[in-house]
Structures are given as structure tokens and as C-alpha cells.
């Protein structure tokens, strides 16, 4: 596990917290640093879930950038 994927007591990574707070630049920087975008917190939510629930659409876009079906 990388330092960028460290989890707090609720299982949130820095990427979860950046998405929750609408910090698009931070999301992009964490992804570039190798943060894993599909880590679930203790509630079973990934950063993408958090971004969508928080209406942080710029973060949703940042998380999905470079993804393909």
C-alpha cells in the first residue's frame, strides 16, 4: 500500500476526502501519484461514489479521465 492510499479510521483515503470536498486539482494530483481510485471505505463507498454523492462533478470527471469501457 502506498502512502497516497493510507486510510483513516473510517477507511477513507486522501482521494475519498478530496472528492468529498470538491478538490479537483487534488484528485488529479493524487491519481497522478498513483492513488487507487477503487478503494472502498468502511461504508463500502469508493472515491467515485463520494464525488457523485457530493455533486463534485469535476472530481467525477477527473476520476473517469483516461478510463474506457
Amino acid at each position: 500500500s502506498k502512502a497516497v492510499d493510507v486510510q483513516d479510521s473510517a477507511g477513507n483515503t486522501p482521494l475519498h476526502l478530496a472528492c468529498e470536498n470538491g478538490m479537483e486539482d487534488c484528485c488529479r494530483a493524487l491519481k497522478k501519484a498513483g492513488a487507487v481510485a477503487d478503494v472502498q471505505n468502511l461504508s463500502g463507498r469508493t472515491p467515485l461514489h463520494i464525488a457523485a454523492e457530493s455533486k463534485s462533478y469535476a472530481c467525477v470527471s477527473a476520476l473517469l479521465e483516461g478510463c474506457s469501457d
Side-chain angles (χ1 to χ4, degrees), residues 2 4 7 9-11 15 17 22-24 26 28 32-33 36 40 42 44 50 53 55-56 62 64 66-67 69:
K2 299 178 190 172
V4 292
Q7 291 178 282
S9 61
L15 194 52
L17 301 176
M23 302 171 79
E24 175 190 4
C26 194
R28 292 183 190 283
K32 187 174 181 178
V36 178
Q40 292 183 357
L42 297 182
I50 301 290
E53 290 167 359
K55 296 182 171 58
S56 298
L64 295 177
C67 294
D69 323 4

Side-chain angles (χ1 to χ4, degrees), residues 19-20 22 48-60:
C19 289
E20 182 176 26
L48 184 58
H49 291 126
I50 301 290
E53 290 167 359
S54 301
K55 296 182 171 58
S56 298
Y57 302 122
C59 291
V60 169

